[in-house]
Amino acid sequence: MFAFLALFIPSVIVIRIIGYFNKDLKIKDIIYDYITLFFFSFIINIIIMYNFFGVKEGIFKALNTDIRLFVWISLISIIINVILCLIGLAVQRNIKFNIEVKNETKTETVSNSDNKTIKMDSKVSKKTKKTVSKAVKRDKNK
């Protein structure tokens, strides 16, 4: 039970912090944020437990039996999650993606002076409309 509290609950606390800064979060976003935070903090906690506390096997068993290890890992997990939260919020607020679509062509129907219908790209049709309108004006002046 202690292992569950030490590894899963700090991510819930940080999700509340993220909800405070982002009021318009949807349930789907909250779930994605929780899974991401839990995954990264779990990996970092495992690395810390392996290197600094000497827990090589039975991570959940060690957390359930050793209260000091539980307290330390819980505090470290909260700190790691808060740092990951701050990094995530900084990335969300400062990085924006702008997508521009170029070379967009539309097909338009243009009728020329001979009353024939022609399908053209939008760039070509603008030129054709100008020449057609000039030709029609010349014909009317005659």
Side-chain angles (χ1 to χ4, degrees):
M1 184 68 179
F2 289 130
F4 177 77
L5 293 174
L7 297 174
F8 288 94
I9 300 301
S11 297
V12 172
I13 295 168
V14 173
I15 289 297
R16 298 296 295 170
I17 295 170
I18 291 173
Y20 177 77
F21 288 109
N22 292 336
K23 302 289 185 198
D24 58 339
L25 281 179
K26 298 176 184 165
I27 297 295
K28 180 176 74 171
D29 296 332
I30 292 171
I31 293 171
Y32 289 151
D33 288 343
Y34 178 79
I35 291 170
T36 305
L37 281 170
F38 173 73
F39 178 73
F40 286 118
S41 69
F42 184 75
I43 290 173
I44 294 170
N45 283 331
I46 298 299
I47 291 170
I48 289 171
M49 287 172 52
Y50 183 80
N51 291 325
F52 296 112
F53 293 106
V55 177
K56 307 254 189 259
E57 294 178 3
I59 295 165
F60 290 102
K61 183 179 178 183
L63 282 172
N64 285 330
T65 56
D66 190 5
I67 299 299
R68 282 191 2 220
L69 181 64
F70 163 72
V71 171
W72 277 106
I73 292 300
S74 297
L75 293 174
I76 291 170
S77 183
I78 290 172
I79 292 168
I80 288 170
N81 278 313
V82 168
I83 291 170
L84 289 174
C85 170
L86 295 175
I87 291 170
L89 289 173
V91 167
Q92 284 178 352
R93 293 187 186 236
N94 294 327
I95 295 178
K96 294 180 182 177
F97 295 103
N98 292 329
I99 300 173
E100 293 183 23
V101 179
K102 293 184 179 181
N103 297 330
E104 184 178 322
T105 58
K106 295 179 183 177
T107 305
E108 292 184 11
T109 305
V110 178
S111 59
N112 60 9
S113 61
D114 299 331
N115 291 329
K116 294 181 182 176
T117 304
I118 303 169
K119 289 187 177 182
M120 304 180 147
D121 291 340
S122 62
K123 293 178 183 177
V124 176
S125 67
K126 288 179 184 176
K127 293 178 185 176
T128 306
K129 284 181 184 178
K130 289 179 183 177
T131 57
V132 168
S133 63
K134 288 180 184 177
V136 171
K137 286 181 184 177
R138 288 184 196 151
D139 290 339
K140 287 183 181 177
N141 291 335
K142 288 184 181 180

